[in-house]
Amino acid sequence: MKILKWGFVGCGEVCEKKSGPAFSEVEGSSVVAVMSRRAEIARSYAERHGVRRWYTDAQQLIDDPDVNAVYVATPPSSHATFAIMAMKAGKPVYVEKPLASTYDDCARINYVSEQTGVPCFVAYYRRYLPYFQRVKEIVDHGVIGKVVNVQVRFAVPPRELDYAHPENLPWRLQPDIGGGGYFYDLAPHQLDLLQHIFGVILEARGICANRGNLYTAEDSVSAVFRFENGMPGSGSWSFVAHESAREDRILVIGQQGSLSFSVFTYQPITVHTSQGIQHIEVPNPPYVQFPLIKKVCEHLQGLSVCTCTSVSATPTNWVLDRILGKL
């Protein structure tokens, strides 16, 4: 597959800057069709981005003979449906994270991918960003010695939308659509990165609560987990914190130093050893999904291998579901 002609199932916010334009930046790759259930959204995106065709029905887009690869950019509850539709049509899929809204749906996706031989990739793009590759390099090169513990700390105040009437809440706060609350939307990036660096998490449990009473989904989560190498880790997430507690930080504790970095704000990486404290700034590309999308395209073109597959993404959903008590 030398020339990739992508069809987007969903063309909302994430497609505008993070991912959409990147597909046309890769040699031999272009976007030929987009779909949204709302005609005005599909038409607007197509017109603004120079896409030739738009649809309001996902099956029509997938059946379009000019489309030979599909990007699923809808809320998680529909990921499995659309990914499976595409794979059964013989078309490779790139799915937004998390892979699905439940671990069971991830298993369904992997089964169909295996049975059809059609690959499914997942948008855990931080694995390929220069900032996080530098973090992994520091760990892998033993700069802070043997790593003995890792801690995730994340706290943000409520957003204005969080105070909306239940019928008007964003989909990320509707567990039947998003899989949970903001934890299910944001923590996947953190947990996938940790497993990318330290290996698969084999044990996980959590305590969840709703402390702000703004919506029914959990807004406060504490968790402990253990990696396959035996190392323990922990995490704390609050989505109803006071501004003074705002934090986006992962602390990696080694026997010869420590390392801290952010996941969403890209604050300078801080390395603390006996040699002193070092602050490292690493810029990312304008379209943050570009490095991963380029790798996916090159994989489909037979030029490289992308390991950010549905199989590699599934352990993150397992950990999320264990922490939330869904498994």
Coordinates of all heavy atoms in Angstrom, one line a residue, residues 222-305:
S222 N -7.5 7.5 43.4 CA -6.2 7.1 43.9 C -5.9 5.7 43.5 O -6.8 4.9 43.5 CB -6.1 7.3 45.4 OG -6.1 8.7 45.7
A223 N -4.7 5.3 43.1 CA -4.4 4.0 42.6 C -3.0 3.5 43.0 O -2.1 4.4 43.2 CB -4.6 3.9 41.1
V224 N -2.9 2.2 43.0 CA -1.5 1.6 43.2 C -1.4 0.5 42.1 O -2.5 -0.1 41.7 CB -1.3 1.0 44.6 CG1 -1.2 2.1 45.6 CG2 -2.4 0.0 44.9
F225 N -0.2 0.3 41.6 CA 0.0 -0.7 40.6 C 1.4 -1.3 40.7 O 2.3 -0.7 41.3 CB -0.3 -0.1 39.2 CG 0.1 1.3 39.0 CD1 1.4 1.6 38.6 CD2 -0.8 2.4 39.2 CE1 1.8 2.9 38.4 CE2 -0.4 3.7 39.1 CZ 0.9 4.0 38.6
R226 N 1.6 -2.4 40.0 CA 2.9 -3.1 40.0 C 3.2 -3.5 38.5 O 2.4 -4.1 37.9 CB 2.9 -4.3 40.9 CG 4.3 -4.9 41.1 CD 4.2 -6.3 41.8 NE 3.6 -6.1 43.1 CZ 4.3 -5.8 44.2 NH1 5.6 -5.5 44.1 NH2 3.7 -5.6 45.4
F227 N 4.4 -3.2 38.1 CA 4.9 -3.5 36.8 C 5.4 -4.9 36.7 O 5.6 -5.6 37.8 CB 6.0 -2.5 36.3 CG 5.5 -1.1 36.2 CD1 5.5 -0.2 37.3 CD2 5.1 -0.6 35.0 CE1 5.1 1.1 37.2 CE2 4.6 0.7 34.9 CZ 4.7 1.5 36.0
E228 N 5.6 -5.4 35.5 CA 6.0 -6.8 35.3 C 7.4 -7.1 35.9 O 7.7 -8.2 36.2 CB 6.0 -7.2 33.8 CG 6.9 -6.3 33.0 CD 6.7 -6.6 31.5 OE1 6.4 -7.8 31.2 OE2 7.0 -5.7 30.6
N229 N 8.2 -6.0 36.1 CA 9.5 -6.2 36.7 C 9.5 -6.1 38.2 O 10.5 -6.2 38.9 CB 10.5 -5.2 36.1 CG 10.2 -3.7 36.5 OD1 9.2 -3.5 37.2 ND2 10.9 -2.8 36.0
G230 N 8.3 -6.0 38.8 CA 8.1 -6.0 40.2 C 8.1 -4.6 40.8 O 7.8 -4.5 42.0
M231 N 8.4 -3.6 40.1 CA 8.4 -2.2 40.6 C 7.0 -1.7 40.9 O 6.1 -1.8 40.1 CB 9.1 -1.3 39.6 CG 9.2 0.1 40.2 SD 10.0 1.2 39.0 CE 8.7 1.4 37.8
P232 N 6.8 -1.1 42.1 CA 5.5 -0.5 42.4 C 5.4 0.9 41.9 O 6.4 1.6 41.7 CB 5.5 -0.6 44.0 CG 6.9 -0.4 44.3 CD 7.7 -1.1 43.2
G233 N 4.1 1.3 41.7 CA 3.9 2.7 41.4 C 2.5 3.1 42.0 O 1.8 2.3 42.5
S234 N 2.3 4.4 41.9 CA 1.0 4.9 42.5 C 0.6 6.1 41.7 O 1.4 6.7 40.9 CB 1.2 5.3 43.9 OG 2.2 6.3 44.1
G235 N -0.7 6.5 41.8 CA -1.2 7.7 41.2 C -2.3 8.4 41.9 O -3.0 7.7 42.7
S236 N -2.4 9.7 41.8 CA -3.5 10.4 42.4 C -4.0 11.4 41.4 O -3.2 12.2 40.8 CB -3.0 11.1 43.6 OG -4.0 12.0 44.2
W237 N -5.3 11.4 41.1 CA -5.9 12.3 40.2 C -7.1 13.1 40.8 O -7.9 12.4 41.5 CB -6.5 11.5 39.0 CG -5.4 10.9 38.1 CD1 -4.9 11.3 37.0 CD2 -4.8 9.6 38.3 NE1 -4.0 10.4 36.5 CE2 -4.0 9.3 37.3 CE3 -5.0 8.6 39.4 CZ2 -3.2 8.2 37.2 CZ3 -4.2 7.4 39.2 CH2 -3.4 7.2 38.2
S238 N -7.1 14.4 40.7 CA -8.3 15.2 41.1 C -8.7 16.1 40.0 O -7.9 16.8 39.5 CB -7.9 16.0 42.4 OG -9.0 16.8 42.7
F239 N -10.0 16.1 39.7 CA -10.5 17.0 38.6 C -11.4 18.0 39.2 O -12.1 18.7 38.4 CB -11.2 16.1 37.6 CG -10.3 15.1 37.0 CD1 -10.4 13.7 37.5 CD2 -9.4 15.4 36.0 CE1 -9.5 12.8 36.9 CE2 -8.6 14.4 35.5 CZ -8.6 13.1 35.9
V240 N -11.4 18.2 40.5 CA -12.2 19.2 41.2 C -11.3 20.0 42.2 O -11.8 20.4 43.2 CB -13.4 18.7 41.9 CG1 -14.5 18.2 40.8 CG2 -13.1 17.5 42.8
A241 N -10.0 20.1 41.9 CA -9.1 20.7 42.9 C -9.1 22.2 42.8 O -9.6 22.8 41.8 CB -7.7 20.2 42.6
H242 N -8.6 22.8 43.9 CA -8.4 24.3 43.9 C -7.3 24.6 43.0 O -6.3 23.8 42.8 CB -8.2 24.8 45.3 CG -8.1 26.3 45.4 ND1 -6.9 27.0 45.3 CD2 -9.1 27.2 45.5 CE1 -7.1 28.3 45.4 NE2 -8.4 28.5 45.5
E243 N -7.3 25.8 42.4 CA -6.2 26.2 41.5 C -4.8 26.1 42.1 O -3.8 25.8 41.5 CB -6.4 27.7 41.1 CG -5.4 28.3 40.2 CD -5.2 27.5 38.8 OE1 -6.3 27.1 38.3 OE2 -4.1 27.4 38.3
S244 N -4.7 26.3 43.4 CA -3.5 26.3 44.1 C -2.8 24.9 44.1 O -1.6 24.7 44.3 CB -3.6 26.7 45.6 OG -4.5 25.8 46.3
A245 N -3.7 23.8 43.8 CA -3.2 22.5 43.8 C -2.9 21.9 42.4 O -2.5 20.8 42.2 CB -4.2 21.5 44.5
R246 N -3.1 22.8 41.4 CA -2.9 22.4 40.0 C -1.5 21.7 39.8 O -0.5 22.3 40.2 CB -3.0 23.5 39.1 CG -3.0 23.2 37.6 CD -3.0 24.4 36.7 NE -4.3 25.0 36.7 CZ -5.2 24.7 35.8 NH1 -5.0 23.7 34.9 NH2 -6.4 25.3 35.8
E247 N -1.5 20.5 39.3 CA -0.3 19.8 39.1 C -0.4 18.8 37.9 O -1.4 18.2 37.7 CB 0.1 19.0 40.4 CG 1.5 18.4 40.4 CD 1.9 17.9 41.8 OE1 1.0 17.8 42.6 OE2 3.1 17.6 41.9
D248 N 0.7 18.7 37.2 CA 0.8 17.7 36.1 C 2.2 17.2 36.2 O 3.2 17.7 35.6 CB 0.5 18.4 34.8 CG 0.9 17.5 33.6 OD1 1.0 16.3 33.8 OD2 1.0 18.0 32.5
R249 N 2.4 16.0 36.9 CA 3.8 15.6 37.2 C 3.9 14.1 37.4 O 3.0 13.5 38.0 CB 4.3 16.3 38.5 CG 5.7 16.0 38.9 CD 6.1 16.9 40.0 NE 7.4 16.8 40.5 CZ 7.8 16.2 41.7 NH1 6.9 15.8 42.5 NH2 9.1 16.1 42.0
I250 N 4.9 13.5 36.8 CA 5.3 12.1 37.1 C 6.7 12.2 37.6 O 7.6 12.7 37.1 CB 5.2 11.3 35.8 CG1 3.8 11.1 35.3 CG2 5.8 9.9 36.1 CD1 3.6 10.2 34.1
L251 N 6.8 11.6 38.8 CA 8.1 11.5 39.5 C 8.6 10.1 39.4 O 8.0 9.1 39.8 CB 8.0 11.9 41.0 CG 9.2 11.7 41.8 CD1 10.3 12.6 41.4 CD2 8.9 12.0 43.3
V252 N 9.8 9.9 38.9 CA 10.5 8.6 38.7 C 11.7 8.6 39.7 O 12.6 9.5 39.6 CB 11.0 8.4 37.3 CG1 11.7 7.0 37.2 CG2 9.9 8.5 36.3
I253 N 11.6 7.7 40.7 CA 12.6 7.6 41.7 C 13.6 6.5 41.4 O 13.2 5.4 41.3 CB 12.0 7.4 43.1 CG1 11.0 8.5 43.4 CG2 13.0 7.3 44.2 CD1 10.1 8.3 44.6
G254 N 14.9 6.9 41.4 CA 16.0 5.9 41.1 C 16.9 5.8 42.3 O 16.8 6.6 43.2
Q255 N 17.8 4.9 42.3 CA 18.7 4.7 43.4 C 19.9 5.7 43.3 O 20.6 5.8 44.2 CB 19.3 3.3 43.3 CG 18.2 2.2 43.7 CD 18.8 0.8 43.8 OE1 19.6 0.4 43.0 NE2 18.4 0.1 44.8
Q256 N 20.0 6.4 42.1 CA 21.1 7.4 42.0 C 20.6 8.7 41.6 O 21.3 9.6 41.2 CB 22.1 6.9 40.9 CG 22.8 5.6 41.3 CD 23.7 5.1 40.2 OE1 24.1 5.9 39.4 NE2 24.0 3.8 40.2
G257 N 19.3 8.9 41.8 CA 18.7 10.2 41.4 C 17.2 10.1 41.2 O 16.6 9.1 41.4
S258 N 16.6 11.2 40.7 CA 15.2 11.2 40.4 C 15.0 12.0 39.1 O 15.8 12.8 38.6 CB 14.4 11.9 41.5 OG 14.8 13.2 41.7
L259 N 13.8 11.8 38.5 CA 13.5 12.4 37.2 C 12.0 12.8 37.3 O 11.2 12.0 37.8 CB 13.7 11.4 36.1 CG 12.9 11.6 34.8 CD1 13.5 12.8 34.0 CD2 13.0 10.3 33.9
S260 N 11.7 14.0 36.9 CA 10.3 14.4 36.9 C 9.9 15.1 35.6 O 10.8 15.7 35.0 CB 9.9 15.3 38.1 OG 10.6 16.6 37.9
F261 N 8.7 14.9 35.1 CA 8.3 15.5 33.8 C 6.8 15.6 33.9 O 6.1 15.0 34.7 CB 8.7 14.6 32.7 CG 8.2 13.2 32.7 CD1 7.1 12.9 31.9 CD2 8.8 12.2 33.4 CE1 6.6 11.6 31.9 CE2 8.3 10.9 33.4 CZ 7.2 10.6 32.6
S262 N 6.2 16.4 32.9 CA 4.8 16.6 32.8 C 4.3 15.8 31.6 O 5.1 15.5 30.7 CB 4.4 18.1 32.7 OG 5.0 18.6 31.5
V263 N 3.0 15.5 31.5 CA 2.5 14.8 30.4 C 1.7 15.7 29.5 O 1.7 15.5 28.3 CB 1.6 13.6 30.9 CG1 0.9 12.9 29.8 CG2 2.5 12.6 31.7
F264 N 1.1 16.7 30.0 CA 0.2 17.5 29.2 C 0.7 19.0 29.0 O 0.3 19.6 28.0 CB -1.2 17.6 29.9 CG -1.8 16.2 30.0 CD1 -1.8 15.6 31.3 CD2 -2.4 15.6 29.0 CE1 -2.4 14.4 31.5 CE2 -2.9 14.3 29.1 CZ -2.9 13.7 30.4
T265 N 1.5 19.5 29.9 CA 2.0 20.8 29.8 C 3.5 20.9 29.3 O 3.9 22.0 29.0 CB 1.9 21.6 31.1 OG1 2.7 20.8 32.1 CG2 0.5 21.7 31.5
Y266 N 4.2 19.8 29.2 CA 5.5 19.8 28.6 C 6.5 20.7 29.3 O 7.3 21.4 28.7 CB 5.5 20.0 27.1 CG 4.5 19.2 26.3 CD1 3.4 19.8 25.7 CD2 4.7 17.8 26.3 CE1 2.5 19.0 25.0 CE2 3.8 17.0 25.6 CZ 2.7 17.6 24.9 OH 1.8 16.8 24.3
Q267 N 6.4 20.8 30.7 CA 7.3 21.5 31.4 C 8.7 20.9 31.3 O 8.9 19.8 30.9 CB 6.9 21.5 32.9 CG 5.6 22.2 33.2 CD 5.6 23.7 32.8 OE1 6.5 24.4 33.2 NE2 4.6 24.1 32.0
P268 N 9.8 21.7 31.5 CA 11.1 21.2 31.3 C 11.3 19.9 32.2 O 10.9 19.8 33.3 CB 12.0 22.3 31.8 CG 11.2 23.5 31.6 CD 9.8 23.1 31.8
I269 N 11.9 18.9 31.6 CA 12.3 17.7 32.3 C 13.3 18.0 33.3 O 14.3 18.7 33.1 CB 12.8 16.6 31.3 CG1 11.8 16.3 30.2 CG2 13.2 15.3 32.0 CD1 12.4 15.6 29.0
T270 N 13.1 17.5 34.5 CA 14.1 17.8 35.6 C 14.8 16.5 36.1 O 14.1 15.5 36.4 CB 13.3 18.4 36.8 OG1 12.7 19.6 36.4 CG2 14.3 18.7 38.0
V271 N 16.1 16.5 36.0 CA 16.9 15.4 36.5 C 17.7 15.8 37.7 O 18.4 16.8 37.6 CB 17.8 14.9 35.3 CG1 18.6 13.7 35.8 CG2 17.0 14.5 34.1
H272 N 17.6 15.1 38.8 CA 18.3 15.4 40.0 C 19.2 14.3 40.4 O 18.7 13.2 40.7 CB 17.3 15.7 41.1 CG 17.9 16.4 42.3 ND1 17.1 17.0 43.3 CD2 19.2 16.5 42.7 CE1 17.9 17.5 44.2 NE2 19.2 17.2 43.9
T273 N 20.5 14.5 40.3 CA 21.5 13.5 40.7 C 22.5 14.1 41.6 O 22.4 15.3 41.9 CB 22.2 12.9 39.5 OG1 23.0 13.9 38.9 CG2 21.2 12.3 38.5
S274 N 23.5 13.3 42.0 CA 24.6 13.9 42.8 C 25.4 15.0 42.1 O 26.1 15.7 42.7 CB 25.5 12.8 43.3 OG 26.1 12.1 42.1
Q275 N 25.2 15.0 40.8 CA 25.9 16.0 40.0 C 25.2 17.4 40.0 O 25.7 18.4 39.5 CB 26.1 15.6 38.5 CG 26.8 14.2 38.4 CD 28.2 14.2 39.0 OE1 28.9 15.1 38.7 NE2 28.5 13.2 39.8
G276 N 24.0 17.4 40.6 CA 23.2 18.6 40.6 C 21.8 18.4 40.0 O 21.4 17.3 39.7
I277 N 21.2 19.5 39.7 CA 19.8 19.5 39.1 C 19.9 20.1 37.6 O 20.5 21.1 37.4 CB 18.9 20.4 39.9 CG1 18.7 19.8 41.3 CG2 17.5 20.4 39.2 CD1 17.8 20.7 42.2
Q278 N 19.4 19.3 36.7 CA 19.4 19.7 35.3 C 18.0 19.9 34.8 O 17.1 19.0 35.0 CB 20.1 18.6 34.5 CG 20.3 19.0 33.0 CD 21.0 17.9 32.3 OE1 21.2 16.8 32.8 NE2 21.4 18.2 31.0
H279 N 17.7 20.9 34.1 CA 16.4 21.2 33.5 C 16.6 21.1 32.0 O 17.4 21.8 31.4 CB 15.8 22.6 33.9 CG 15.7 22.7 35.4 ND1 14.7 22.1 36.1 CD2 16.4 23.4 36.3 CE1 14.7 22.4 37.4 NE2 15.8 23.2 37.5
I280 N 15.8 20.2 31.4 CA 15.9 19.9 29.9 C 14.7 20.3 29.2 O 13.6 19.8 29.5 CB 16.2 18.4 29.7 CG1 17.5 18.0 30.5 CG2 16.4 18.2 28.2 CD1 17.7 16.5 30.6
E281 N 14.8 21.2 28.2 CA 13.6 21.6 27.4 C 13.7 20.9 26.1 O 14.8 20.9 25.4 CB 13.6 23.1 27.2 CG 13.3 23.9 28.5 CD 13.1 25.4 28.2 OE1 12.6 25.7 27.0 OE2 13.3 26.2 29.1
V282 N 12.6 20.2 25.7 CA 12.6 19.5 24.4 C 11.3 19.9 23.7 O 10.2 19.7 24.1 CB 12.5 18.0 24.7 CG1 12.5 17.2 23.3 CG2 13.7 17.5 25.5
P283 N 11.5 20.6 22.5 CA 10.3 21.1 21.8 C 9.6 20.0 21.0 O 10.3 19.0 20.7 CB 10.9 22.1 20.8 CG 12.3 21.6 20.6 CD 12.8 21.1 21.9
N284 N 8.3 20.1 20.8 CA 7.6 19.1 20.1 C 7.1 19.8 18.8 O 7.1 21.0 18.6 CB 6.4 18.7 20.9 CG 6.7 17.7 22.0 OD1 7.6 16.9 21.9 ND2 6.1 17.9 23.2
P285 N 6.7 18.9 17.8 CA 6.3 19.5 16.5 C 4.9 20.2 16.6 O 4.2 19.9 17.6 CB 6.2 18.2 15.6 CG 6.0 17.1 16.6 CD 6.8 17.5 17.8
P286 N 4.6 21.0 15.6 CA 3.3 21.8 15.7 C 2.1 20.8 15.8 O 1.2 21.1 16.5 CB 3.3 22.6 14.4 CG 4.8 22.7 14.0 CD 5.4 21.4 14.5
Y287 N 2.1 19.8 15.0 CA 1.0 18.8 15.0 C 1.6 17.6 15.9 O 2.4 16.8 15.4 CB 0.7 18.3 13.6 CG 0.3 19.4 12.7 CD1 0.9 19.5 11.4 CD2 -0.6 20.4 13.0 CE1 0.6 20.5 10.5 CE2 -1.0 21.4 12.2 CZ -0.4 21.5 10.9 OH -0.7 22.5 10.1
V288 N 1.1 17.5 17.1 CA 1.7 16.6 18.0 C 1.6 15.1 17.6 O 2.3 14.3 18.1 CB 1.2 16.8 19.5 CG1 1.7 18.1 20.1 CG2 -0.3 16.7 19.5
Q289 N 0.6 14.8 16.8 CA 0.4 13.4 16.4 C 1.3 13.1 15.2 O 1.3 11.9 14.7 CB -1.1 13.1 16.1 CG -1.9 13.0 17.4 CD -3.2 12.2 17.2 OE1 -3.2 11.3 16.4 NE2 -4.2 12.5 18.0
F290 N 1.9 14.1 14.6 CA 2.7 13.8 13.4 C 3.7 12.7 13.4 O 3.7 11.8 12.5 CB 3.3 15.1 12.9 CG 4.2 14.9 11.7 CD1 3.6 14.8 10.4 CD2 5.6 14.8 11.8 CE1 4.4 14.6 9.3 CE2 6.4 14.6 10.7 CZ 5.8 14.5 9.4
P291 N 4.6 12.6 14.5 CA 5.5 11.5 14.5 C 4.9 10.1 14.4 O 5.4 9.3 13.7 CB 6.3 11.8 15.8 CG 6.2 13.2 16.0 CD 4.8 13.6 15.6
L292 N 3.8 10.0 15.2 CA 3.2 8.6 15.2 C 2.4 8.4 13.9 O 2.5 7.3 13.3 CB 2.2 8.5 16.4 CG 1.3 7.3 16.4 CD1 2.2 6.0 16.3 CD2 0.5 7.2 17.7
I293 N 1.7 9.4 13.4 CA 1.0 9.2 12.1 C 2.0 8.9 11.0 O 1.7 8.0 10.1 CB 0.2 10.4 11.8 CG1 -1.0 10.5 12.8 CG2 -0.3 10.4 10.3 CD1 -1.8 11.8 12.7
K294 N 3.1 9.5 11.0 CA 4.2 9.3 10.0 C 4.6 7.8 10.1 O 4.8 7.1 9.1 CB 5.4 10.2 10.2 CG 6.5 10.0 9.2 CD 7.5 11.1 9.3 CE 8.6 11.1 8.3 NZ 9.5 9.9 8.4
K295 N 4.8 7.3 11.3 CA 5.2 5.9 11.6 C 4.2 5.0 11.1 O 4.5 3.9 10.5 CB 5.5 5.7 13.0 CG 6.4 4.5 13.3 CD 7.8 4.7 12.9 CE 8.7 3.6 13.4 NZ 10.1 3.8 12.9
V296 N 2.9 5.3 11.4 CA 1.8 4.4 10.9 C 1.8 4.3 9.4 O 1.7 3.2 8.8 CB 0.5 4.9 11.4 CG1 -0.7 4.2 10.8 CG2 0.4 4.7 13.0
C297 N 1.9 5.5 8.8 CA 1.9 5.5 7.3 C 3.0 4.7 6.7 O 2.9 3.9 5.8 CB 1.9 7.0 6.8 SG 0.4 7.9 7.1
E298 N 4.2 4.9 7.3 CA 5.4 4.2 6.8 C 5.3 2.7 7.0 O 5.7 1.9 6.2 CB 6.7 4.7 7.5 CG 7.0 6.1 7.1 CD 8.2 6.7 7.8 OE1 8.6 6.1 8.9 OE2 8.8 7.7 7.4
H299 N 4.6 2.3 8.1 CA 4.3 0.9 8.3 C 3.4 0.3 7.2 O 3.7 -0.7 6.6 CB 3.6 0.7 9.7 CG 3.4 -0.7 10.0 ND1 4.0 -1.4 11.1 CD2 2.5 -1.7 9.5 CE1 3.5 -2.6 11.2 NE2 2.6 -2.8 10.2
L300 N 2.4 1.0 6.9 CA 1.4 0.6 5.9 C 2.0 0.6 4.5 O 1.6 -0.1 3.6 CB 0.2 1.4 5.9 CG -0.7 1.3 7.2 CD1 -1.8 2.3 7.2 CD2 -1.2 -0.1 7.4
Q301 N 3.1 1.5 4.3 CA 3.8 1.6 3.0 C 4.9 0.6 2.9 O 5.6 0.5 1.9 CB 4.3 3.0 2.8 CG 3.2 4.0 2.7 CD 3.7 5.5 2.8 OE1 4.7 5.7 3.4 NE2 3.0 6.4 2.1
G302 N 5.1 -0.2 4.0 CA 6.2 -1.2 4.0 C 7.6 -0.6 4.2 O 8.6 -1.3 3.9
L303 N 7.6 0.6 4.8 CA 8.9 1.2 5.0 C 9.5 1.2 6.4 O 10.6 1.4 6.6 CB 8.8 2.7 4.6 CG 8.3 3.0 3.2 CD1 8.1 4.5 3.0 CD2 9.3 2.5 2.1
S304 N 8.6 0.8 7.4 CA 9.0 0.8 8.8 C 8.1 -0.1 9.5 O 7.2 -0.7 9.0 CB 9.0 2.2 9.3 OG 9.5 2.3 10.6
V305 N 8.2 -0.1 10.8 CA 7.4 -0.9 11.7 C 6.9 0.0 12.8 O 7.7 0.6 13.5 CB 8.1 -2.1 12.3 CG1 7.2 -2.9 13.3 CG2 8.5 -3.1 11.2

